[in-house]
Coordinates of all heavy atoms in Angstrom, one line a residue:
M1 N 226.5 97.0 104.2 CA 226.1 98.3 104.8 C 224.9 98.9 104.0 O 223.9 99.4 104.6 CB 227.2 99.2 104.9 CG 226.9 100.5 105.6 SD 227.0 100.2 107.4 CE 227.5 101.8 107.9
E2 N 225.0 98.7 102.7 CA 224.0 99.4 101.9 C 222.6 98.7 102.2 O 221.6 99.4 102.2 CB 224.3 99.1 100.4 CG 223.3 99.8 99.4 CD 223.8 99.7 98.0 OE1 225.0 99.7 97.8 OE2 223.0 99.6 97.1
T3 N 222.5 97.4 102.3 CA 221.3 96.8 102.7 C 220.6 97.3 103.9 O 219.4 97.6 104.0 CB 221.5 95.2 102.9 OG1 222.0 94.7 101.8 CG2 220.1 94.5 103.3
T4 N 221.5 97.7 105.0 CA 221.1 98.2 106.2 C 220.3 99.7 105.9 O 219.3 99.9 106.4 CB 222.1 98.4 107.2 OG1 222.7 97.1 107.5 CG2 221.7 99.0 108.5
I5 N 221.0 100.4 105.1 CA 220.4 101.8 104.8 C 219.1 101.5 104.1 O 218.2 102.2 104.3 CB 221.4 102.6 104.0 CG1 222.7 102.9 104.8 CG2 220.9 103.9 103.4 CD1 223.8 103.5 104.2
D6 N 219.1 100.7 103.1 CA 217.9 100.4 102.4 C 216.8 99.9 103.4 O 215.6 100.4 103.1 CB 218.0 99.4 101.2 CG 218.9 99.9 100.1 OD1 219.1 101.1 100.0 OD2 219.4 99.0 99.3
T7 N 217.1 99.1 104.2 CA 216.1 98.6 105.2 C 215.7 99.7 106.1 O 214.4 99.8 106.3 CB 216.8 97.4 106.0 OG1 217.1 96.3 105.1 CG2 215.8 96.9 107.0
R8 N 216.6 100.5 106.5 CA 216.2 101.6 107.4 C 215.2 102.5 106.7 O 214.2 103.0 107.3 CB 217.5 102.4 107.9 CG 217.1 103.5 108.9 CD 218.3 104.4 109.2 NE 218.7 105.1 108.1 CZ 220.0 105.2 107.7 NH1 220.9 104.4 108.3 NH2 220.3 105.9 106.6
T9 N 215.5 102.9 105.4 CA 214.6 103.8 104.6 C 213.3 103.1 104.5 O 212.2 103.7 104.7 CB 215.3 104.1 103.3 OG1 216.5 104.7 103.6 CG2 214.4 104.9 102.5
F10 N 213.3 101.8 104.1 CA 212.1 101.1 103.9 C 211.1 101.2 105.1 O 210.0 101.4 105.1 CB 212.3 99.7 103.4 CG 211.0 98.8 103.5 CD1 210.0 98.9 102.6 CD2 210.9 97.9 104.7 CE1 208.9 98.1 102.8 CE2 209.8 97.2 104.8 CZ 208.7 97.3 103.8
L11 N 211.8 100.8 106.3 CA 211.1 100.7 107.6 C 210.6 102.1 107.9 O 209.4 102.2 108.4 CB 212.0 100.2 108.6 CG 212.4 98.7 108.6 CD1 213.6 98.4 109.5 CD2 211.2 97.8 108.8
A12 N 211.2 103.1 107.8 CA 210.8 104.4 108.1 C 209.6 104.8 107.2 O 208.5 105.3 107.7 CB 211.9 105.5 107.9
D13 N 209.6 104.5 106.0 CA 208.5 104.7 105.1 C 207.3 103.9 105.4 O 206.2 104.4 105.4 CB 208.9 104.5 103.6 CG 209.9 105.6 103.2 OD1 210.0 106.7 103.7 OD2 210.5 105.3 102.1
A14 N 207.5 102.6 105.7 CA 206.4 101.7 106.1 C 205.8 102.1 107.4 O 204.6 102.1 107.5 CB 206.9 100.3 106.1
I15 N 206.5 102.6 108.4 CA 205.9 103.2 109.6 C 205.1 104.3 109.3 O 204.1 104.5 109.8 CB 207.1 103.3 110.6 CG1 207.6 102.0 111.1 CG2 206.6 104.2 111.8 CD1 208.8 102.1 112.0
R16 N 205.7 105.2 108.5 CA 204.9 106.5 108.3 C 203.6 106.1 107.5 O 202.5 106.6 107.9 CB 205.6 107.3 107.2 CG 206.7 108.2 107.9 CD 207.3 109.2 106.9 NE 208.7 109.5 107.5 CZ 209.9 108.9 107.0 NH1 209.8 108.1 106.1 NH2 211.0 109.2 107.5
R17 N 203.6 105.1 106.6 CA 202.3 104.6 106.0 C 201.4 104.1 107.0 O 200.2 104.3 106.9 CB 202.7 103.5 105.0 CG 203.4 104.1 103.7 CD 203.7 102.9 102.7 NE 202.6 102.1 102.4 CZ 201.8 102.2 101.3 NH1 202.0 103.3 100.5 NH2 200.8 101.5 101.1
A18 N 201.9 103.2 107.8 CA 201.1 102.6 108.9 C 200.4 103.8 109.8 O 199.2 103.7 110.0 CB 201.8 101.6 109.7
L19 N 201.1 104.6 110.2 CA 200.7 105.6 111.1 C 199.6 106.6 110.4 O 198.8 107.1 111.1 CB 201.8 106.5 111.6 CG 202.7 105.7 112.7 CD1 203.9 106.6 113.1 CD2 201.9 105.4 114.0
S20 N 199.8 106.6 109.0 CA 198.7 107.5 108.3 C 197.5 106.7 107.9 O 196.7 107.2 107.2 CB 199.4 108.2 107.2 OG 199.8 107.2 106.2
G21 N 197.4 105.5 108.3 CA 196.3 104.7 108.0 C 196.4 103.9 106.7 O 195.4 103.3 106.3
Q22 N 197.5 104.0 106.1 CA 197.7 103.1 104.8 C 198.1 101.7 105.1 O 198.6 101.5 106.2 CB 198.7 103.9 103.9 CG 198.3 105.2 103.5 CD 199.4 105.9 102.7 OE1 200.4 105.2 102.3 NE2 199.4 107.2 102.6
D23 N 198.0 100.9 104.1 CA 198.4 99.5 104.3 C 199.9 99.4 104.5 O 200.6 100.1 103.8 CB 197.9 98.7 103.2 CG 196.5 98.4 103.1 OD1 195.8 98.4 104.2 OD2 196.0 98.2 102.0
V24 N 200.3 98.5 105.3 CA 201.6 98.2 105.4 C 202.1 97.0 104.5 O 201.3 96.0 104.5 CB 202.0 97.6 106.9 CG1 203.5 97.2 107.0 CG2 201.7 98.7 107.9
P25 N 203.1 97.2 103.7 CA 203.4 96.1 102.6 C 204.0 94.9 103.3 O 205.2 94.8 103.3 CB 204.3 96.8 101.7 CG 204.9 97.9 102.6 CD 203.9 98.3 103.6
N26 N 203.2 94.1 103.9 CA 203.7 92.9 104.7 C 204.6 92.0 103.9 O 205.7 91.6 104.4 CB 202.5 92.2 105.4 CG 203.1 91.3 106.4 OD1 203.8 91.7 107.2 ND2 202.5 90.1 106.6
P27 N 204.4 91.7 102.7 CA 205.4 90.9 102.0 C 206.7 91.5 101.8 O 207.8 90.8 102.0 CB 204.8 90.7 100.6 CG 203.3 90.8 100.8 CD 203.1 91.9 101.9
Q28 N 206.8 92.8 101.8 CA 208.0 93.5 101.8 C 208.7 93.6 103.1 O 209.9 93.4 103.2 CB 207.8 94.9 101.2 CG 207.5 95.0 99.7 CD 207.3 96.5 99.2 OE1 207.4 97.3 100.0 NE2 207.0 96.5 98.0
V29 N 207.9 93.6 104.2 CA 208.5 93.7 105.6 C 209.1 92.3 105.7 O 210.2 92.2 106.2 CB 207.3 93.7 106.5 CG1 207.9 93.5 108.0 CG2 206.8 95.2 106.5
E30 N 208.4 91.2 105.3 CA 209.1 89.8 105.5 C 210.3 89.6 104.6 O 211.3 89.0 105.1 CB 207.9 88.8 105.1 CG 206.8 88.8 106.1 CD 205.7 87.8 105.8 OE1 205.9 87.1 104.8 OE2 204.7 87.8 106.5
Q31 N 210.4 90.3 103.5 CA 211.6 90.2 102.7 C 212.9 90.7 103.4 O 214.0 90.3 103.3 CB 211.5 90.9 101.4 CG 210.6 90.3 100.4 CD 210.4 91.1 99.2 OE1 210.8 92.3 99.0 NE2 209.7 90.6 98.2
H32 N 212.7 91.7 104.3 CA 213.7 92.4 105.0 C 214.3 91.5 106.2 O 215.2 91.7 106.7 CB 213.5 93.8 105.5 CG 213.3 94.7 104.4 ND1 214.4 95.4 103.9 CD2 212.3 95.0 103.5 CE1 214.1 96.2 102.9 NE2 212.8 96.0 102.7
Y33 N 213.4 90.4 106.5 CA 214.0 89.5 107.5 C 215.2 88.7 107.0 O 215.9 88.1 107.9 CB 212.9 88.5 107.9 CG 211.9 89.1 108.9 CD1 210.6 89.4 108.6 CD2 212.4 89.1 110.3 CE1 209.7 89.9 109.6 CE2 211.4 89.5 111.2 CZ 210.1 90.0 110.9 OH 209.3 90.4 111.8
A34 N 215.4 88.7 105.8 CA 216.6 87.8 105.2 C 217.9 88.3 105.7 O 218.7 87.5 106.1 CB 216.6 87.9 103.8
G35 N 218.0 89.6 106.0 CA 219.3 90.1 106.5 C 219.2 90.4 107.9 O 219.9 91.4 108.5
W36 N 218.4 89.8 108.7 CA 218.0 89.9 110.1 C 219.3 90.2 111.0 O 219.4 91.1 111.7 CB 217.4 88.7 110.7 CG 217.0 88.8 112.0 CD1 217.6 88.3 113.2 CD2 215.7 89.4 112.7 NE1 217.0 88.4 114.3 CE2 215.9 89.2 114.0 CE3 214.7 90.2 112.2 CZ2 214.9 89.7 114.9 CZ3 213.7 90.7 113.0 CH2 213.8 90.5 114.3
R37 N 220.4 89.4 110.8 CA 221.5 89.4 111.6 C 222.3 90.7 111.3 O 223.1 91.1 112.2 CB 222.5 88.2 111.3 CG 221.9 86.9 111.8 CD 222.8 85.8 111.6 NE 222.3 84.5 111.8 CZ 222.2 84.0 112.9 NH1 222.8 84.5 114.0 NH2 221.7 82.7 113.1
D38 N 222.1 91.3 110.3 CA 222.9 92.6 109.9 C 222.2 93.9 110.2 O 222.8 95.0 110.2 CB 223.2 92.6 108.4 CG 224.1 91.5 107.9 OD1 224.9 91.0 108.7 OD2 223.9 91.1 106.8
L39 N 221.0 93.7 110.9 CA 220.2 94.9 111.2 C 220.4 95.3 112.7 O 220.8 94.4 113.5 CB 218.7 94.6 111.1 CG 218.3 94.1 109.7 CD1 216.8 93.8 109.7 CD2 218.7 95.2 108.7
S40 N 220.2 96.6 112.9 CA 220.3 97.0 114.2 C 219.2 96.5 115.1 O 218.1 96.1 114.5 CB 220.4 98.7 114.3 OG 219.1 99.1 113.9
L41 N 219.3 96.7 116.3 CA 218.2 96.3 117.3 C 216.9 97.1 116.9 O 215.9 96.6 116.9 CB 218.6 96.6 118.8 CG 217.6 96.1 119.8 CD1 217.1 94.7 119.7 CD2 218.1 96.5 121.1
T42 N 217.2 98.4 116.6 CA 215.9 99.3 116.2 C 215.3 98.8 115.0 O 214.0 98.6 115.0 CB 216.4 100.7 116.1 OG1 217.0 101.3 117.3 CG2 215.2 101.6 115.6
Q43 N 216.1 98.5 114.0 CA 215.6 97.9 112.8 C 214.8 96.5 113.0 O 213.8 96.4 112.5 CB 216.6 97.7 111.7 CG 217.1 99.1 111.3 CD 218.4 98.9 110.4 OE1 219.2 98.1 110.6 NE2 218.5 99.8 109.4
R44 N 215.4 95.7 113.8 CA 214.8 94.4 114.2 C 213.4 94.7 114.8 O 212.4 94.0 114.5 CB 215.6 93.6 115.1 CG 216.8 93.0 114.4 CD 217.7 92.2 115.3 NE 219.0 91.9 114.8 CZ 220.0 91.3 115.4 NH1 219.8 90.9 116.7 NH2 221.1 91.0 114.7
S45 N 213.4 95.6 115.8 CA 212.2 96.0 116.5 C 211.2 96.5 115.6 O 209.9 96.2 115.7 CB 212.4 97.0 117.6 OG 213.3 96.4 118.6
A46 N 211.6 97.3 114.7 CA 210.7 97.9 113.7 C 210.0 96.9 112.8 O 208.8 96.9 112.5 CB 211.3 98.9 112.8
L47 N 210.8 95.9 112.4 CA 210.2 94.8 111.6 C 209.2 94.1 112.3 O 208.1 93.8 111.8 CB 211.4 93.8 111.1 CG 212.2 94.1 109.9 CD1 213.4 93.2 109.8 CD2 211.5 94.2 108.7
V48 N 209.5 93.6 113.6 CA 208.5 93.0 114.3 C 207.2 93.7 114.6 O 206.1 93.3 114.4 CB 209.2 92.4 115.7 CG1 208.1 92.0 116.6 CG2 210.2 91.5 115.4
Q49 N 207.3 95.0 114.9 CA 206.2 95.9 115.2 C 205.4 96.0 114.0 O 204.2 96.1 114.0 CB 206.7 97.3 115.9 CG 205.6 98.0 116.4 CD 204.9 97.4 117.6 OE1 205.4 96.6 118.3 NE2 203.6 97.7 117.6
L50 N 206.0 96.3 112.9 CA 205.2 96.4 111.6 C 204.5 95.1 111.2 O 203.4 95.2 110.8 CB 206.2 96.8 110.5 CG 206.6 98.2 110.4 CD1 207.6 98.3 109.3 CD2 205.4 99.1 109.9
Q51 N 205.1 94.0 111.5 CA 204.5 92.7 111.2 C 203.3 92.6 112.2 O 202.1 92.2 111.8 CB 205.4 91.6 111.3 CG 204.8 90.3 110.9 CD 205.9 89.2 110.8 OE1 206.8 89.0 111.7 NE2 205.9 88.5 109.7
N52 N 203.5 93.0 113.5 CA 202.3 92.9 114.4 C 201.2 93.8 113.9 O 200.1 93.5 114.0 CB 202.9 93.3 115.8 CG 203.7 92.3 116.4 OD1 203.8 91.1 116.0 ND2 204.4 92.6 117.5
W53 N 201.6 95.1 113.5 CA 200.6 96.0 113.2 C 199.8 95.6 112.0 O 198.5 95.7 112.0 CB 201.3 97.4 112.7 CG 200.5 98.5 112.4 CD1 200.0 98.9 111.1 CD2 200.0 99.5 113.2 NE1 199.1 99.9 111.1 CE2 199.2 100.4 112.4 CE3 200.2 99.9 114.5 CZ2 198.7 101.5 112.9 CZ3 199.7 100.9 115.0 CH2 198.8 101.8 114.2
S54 N 200.4 94.9 111.0 CA 199.7 94.4 109.9 C 198.7 93.4 110.2 O 197.7 93.2 109.6 CB 200.6 94.0 108.8 OG 201.2 92.8 109.1
K55 N 198.9 92.7 111.4 CA 198.0 91.6 111.7 C 197.1 91.9 112.8 O 196.1 91.1 113.1 CB 198.8 90.4 112.1 CG 199.7 89.9 110.8 CD 200.5 88.7 111.3 CE 201.3 88.2 110.0 NZ 202.2 87.2 110.3
D56 N 197.2 93.0 113.6 CA 196.4 93.2 114.7 C 195.3 94.3 114.6 O 194.9 94.9 115.6 CB 197.2 93.3 115.9 CG 198.1 94.6 116.1 OD1 198.0 95.5 115.2 OD2 198.6 94.8 117.1
G57 N 195.0 94.6 113.4 CA 193.9 95.8 113.2 C 192.8 95.6 114.0 O 192.3 96.5 114.6
P58 N 192.2 94.3 113.9 CA 191.0 94.1 114.8 C 191.2 94.3 116.2 O 190.3 94.7 117.0 CB 190.6 92.6 114.4 CG 191.2 92.3 113.1 CD 192.4 93.2 113.1
L59 N 192.3 93.9 116.7 CA 192.7 94.0 118.2 C 192.8 95.5 118.5 O 192.2 95.9 119.6 CB 194.0 93.4 118.4 CG 194.4 93.2 119.8 CD1 193.3 92.5 120.7 CD2 195.8 92.6 120.1
R60 N 193.4 96.3 117.7 CA 193.5 97.8 117.8 C 192.2 98.3 117.9 O 191.9 99.3 118.7 CB 194.5 98.4 116.9 CG 195.8 98.1 117.1 CD 196.8 99.0 116.2 NE 196.3 99.2 114.8 CZ 196.7 98.3 113.8 NH1 197.4 97.3 114.0 NH2 196.3 98.6 112.6
A61 N 191.3 98.0 116.9 CA 189.9 98.6 116.8 C 189.1 98.2 118.1 O 188.3 99.0 118.5 CB 189.3 98.0 115.6
E62 N 189.3 97.1 118.7 CA 188.5 96.7 119.8 C 189.1 97.2 121.2 O 188.4 97.5 122.1 CB 188.5 95.2 120.0 CG 187.4 94.7 121.0 CD 187.2 93.2 120.9 OE1 187.5 92.6 120.0 OE2 186.6 92.7 121.9
F63 N 190.4 97.4 121.3 CA 191.0 97.7 122.6 C 191.9 98.9 122.3 O 193.0 99.1 121.9 CB 191.9 96.6 123.1 CG 191.1 95.3 123.4 CD1 191.1 94.3 122.4 CD2 190.3 95.3 124.5 CE1 190.5 93.1 122.8 CE2 189.7 94.1 124.8 CZ 189.7 93.0 123.8
A64 N 191.3 100.1 122.8 CA 191.9 101.5 122.6 C 193.3 101.5 123.2 O 194.3 102.1 122.7 CB 191.0 102.5 123.2
P65 N 193.5 101.0 124.5 CA 194.8 100.9 125.0 C 195.9 100.2 124.1 O 197.0 100.8 124.1 CB 194.8 100.3 126.4 CG 193.2 100.3 126.7 CD 192.6 100.3 125.4
H66 N 195.5 99.1 123.6 CA 196.5 98.5 122.6 C 196.8 99.4 121.4 O 198.0 99.3 121.0 CB 195.8 97.1 122.2 CG 196.8 96.4 121.3 ND1 198.0 95.8 121.7 CD2 196.7 96.1 119.9 CE1 198.6 95.3 120.6 NE2 197.8 95.4 119.5
A67 N 195.7 100.0 120.9 CA 195.9 100.8 119.8 C 196.9 102.0 120.0 O 197.8 102.3 119.3 CB 194.6 101.4 119.2
E68 N 196.7 102.5 121.2 CA 197.5 103.7 121.6 C 199.0 103.1 121.9 O 199.9 103.8 121.6 CB 197.0 104.3 123.0 CG 197.8 105.5 123.5 CD 197.1 106.1 124.7 OE1 195.9 106.0 124.9 OE2 197.9 106.5 125.6
Y69 N 199.1 102.0 122.5 CA 200.5 101.5 122.7 C 201.2 101.2 121.4 O 202.4 101.6 121.2 CB 200.4 100.2 123.5 CG 201.8 99.5 123.4 CD1 202.9 99.8 124.3 CD2 202.0 98.4 122.5 CE1 204.0 99.2 124.2 CE2 203.2 97.8 122.4 CZ 204.2 98.2 123.4 OH 205.4 97.6 123.2
S70 N 200.5 100.6 120.4 CA 201.0 100.2 119.2 C 201.4 101.5 118.4 O 202.5 101.6 117.7 CB 200.0 99.5 118.3 OG 199.8 98.2 118.9
Q71 N 200.6 102.5 118.4 CA 200.9 103.7 117.7 C 202.0 104.4 118.4 O 203.0 105.0 117.7 CB 199.7 104.7 117.7 CG 199.9 106.0 117.0 CD 198.7 106.8 116.8 OE1 197.6 106.4 117.2 NE2 198.9 108.0 116.2
H72 N 202.2 104.4 119.7 CA 203.3 105.1 120.4 C 204.6 104.3 120.1 O 205.6 104.9 119.8 CB 203.0 105.0 121.9 CG 204.2 105.5 122.7 ND1 204.6 106.8 122.9 CD2 205.1 104.8 123.5 CE1 205.6 106.9 123.5 NE2 206.0 105.7 124.0
R73 N 204.4 102.9 120.0 CA 205.6 102.1 119.7 C 206.2 102.5 118.3 O 207.4 102.6 118.2 CB 205.3 100.7 119.9 CG 206.4 99.8 119.7 CD 207.5 99.9 120.9 NE 208.5 99.0 120.6 CZ 209.8 99.2 120.6 NH1 210.2 100.5 120.9 NH2 210.8 98.4 120.4
L74 N 205.2 102.6 117.3 CA 205.7 102.8 116.0 C 206.4 104.2 115.9 O 207.4 104.4 115.2 CB 204.6 102.7 115.0 CG 204.2 101.3 114.6 CD1 203.1 101.3 113.6 CD2 205.3 100.6 113.9
T75 N 205.7 105.2 116.6 CA 206.3 106.6 116.6 C 207.7 106.6 117.1 O 208.5 107.3 116.5 CB 205.2 107.5 117.2 OG1 204.0 107.4 116.7 CG2 205.8 108.9 117.4
H76 N 207.8 105.8 118.2 CA 209.1 105.9 118.8 C 210.2 105.2 118.0 O 211.3 105.7 117.8 CB 209.0 105.1 120.2 CG 210.3 104.9 120.9 ND1 211.0 106.0 121.6 CD2 211.0 103.9 121.0 CE1 212.2 105.5 122.1 NE2 212.3 104.2 121.7
L77 N 209.8 104.1 117.4 CA 210.7 103.5 116.4 C 211.1 104.4 115.2 O 212.2 104.3 114.8 CB 210.1 102.1 116.0 CG 210.2 101.0 117.1 CD1 209.3 99.9 116.7 CD2 211.6 100.5 117.3
L78 N 210.1 105.0 114.7 CA 210.3 106.0 113.6 C 211.4 107.0 114.0 O 212.2 107.3 113.3 CB 209.1 106.5 113.1 CG 209.2 107.6 111.9 CD1 209.8 107.0 110.7 CD2 207.8 108.2 111.6
D79 N 211.2 107.6 115.2 CA 212.2 108.6 115.7 C 213.4 108.0 115.8 O 214.5 108.6 115.3 CB 211.7 109.1 117.1 CG 210.4 109.9 117.0 OD1 210.1 110.4 116.0 OD2 209.9 110.1 118.1
E80 N 213.6 106.8 116.3 CA 214.9 106.1 116.4 C 215.5 105.8 115.0 O 216.8 106.0 114.8 CB 214.8 104.7 117.2 CG 214.6 105.0 118.7 CD 214.7 103.7 119.4 OE1 215.2 102.7 118.9 OE2 214.3 103.7 120.6
L81 N 214.7 105.4 114.1 CA 215.2 105.1 112.7 C 215.7 106.4 112.1 O 216.7 106.4 111.3 CB 214.2 104.5 111.9 CG 213.8 103.0 112.2 CD1 212.5 102.7 111.5 CD2 215.0 102.2 111.8
E82 N 215.0 107.5 112.3 CA 215.4 108.8 111.6 C 216.7 109.3 112.5 O 217.5 109.9 111.8 CB 214.3 109.7 111.8 CG 213.2 109.4 110.9 CD 211.8 110.3 111.0 OE1 211.8 110.9 112.0 OE2 211.1 110.4 110.0
A83 N 216.9 109.0 113.7 CA 218.1 109.4 114.3 C 219.3 108.6 113.7 O 220.5 109.2 113.8 CB 217.9 109.2 115.8
L84 N 219.1 107.5 113.1 CA 220.2 106.7 112.6 C 220.8 107.3 111.3 O 221.8 106.9 110.9 CB 219.8 105.3 112.3 CG 219.5 104.4 113.5 CD1 218.9 103.1 113.0 CD2 220.6 104.2 114.5
N85 N 220.1 108.3 110.7 CA 220.5 108.8 109.5 C 221.8 109.5 109.6 O 222.3 110.2 110.3 CB 219.4 109.9 109.0 CG 218.7 109.4 107.7 OD1 219.2 108.4 107.1 ND2 217.5 110.0 107.5

């Protein structure tokens, strides 16, 4: 259970960083995949979305609808993670 709480906190912080234009610590995101089976669906979704975010900067820069979708998705996942508190 403690790992889940740590992961939730890490994911919320990483999403806030991403949404504020800071780098997402992708190696740390990947470390949290180790406990994949113990995570909630929201946490799993956040891991995948953060990994996508860290790799699709050029795509977001070129396609505004994709950027809007990605930002909306991260915001929604952050809200869900904070509701798990």
Side-chain angles (χ1 to χ4, degrees):
M1 186 82 148
E2 185 174 325
T3 301
T4 303
I5 293 169
D6 291 342
T7 298
R8 184 185 68 230
T9 301
F10 166 78
L11 290 169
D13 290 343
I15 289 173
R16 283 187 205 98
R17 288 177 56 92
L19 291 172
S20 68
Q22 299 176 17
D23 289 334
V24 176
N26 199 40
Q28 291 177 356
V29 170
E30 291 178 8
Q31 287 175 354
H32 286 272
Y33 275 107
W36 181 263
R37 293 182 188 272
D38 297 328
L39 301 179
S40 70
L41 181 58
T42 298
Q43 291 169 326
R44 291 177 188 180
S45 296
L47 278 172
V48 170
Q49 190 64 28
L50 279 168
Q51 193 170 44
N52 290 346
W53 182 273
S54 69
K55 295 179 181 179
D56 75 356
L59 185 62
R60 288 192 316 274
E62 189 172 341
F63 299 102
H66 178 69
E68 185 178 323
Y69 168 80
S70 294
Q71 184 173 355
H72 174 74
R73 182 71 178 127
L74 280 179
T75 301
H76 176 73
L77 287 166
L78 178 58
D79 290 344
E80 286 187 17
L81 289 167
E82 289 175 338
L84 294 174
N85 250 342

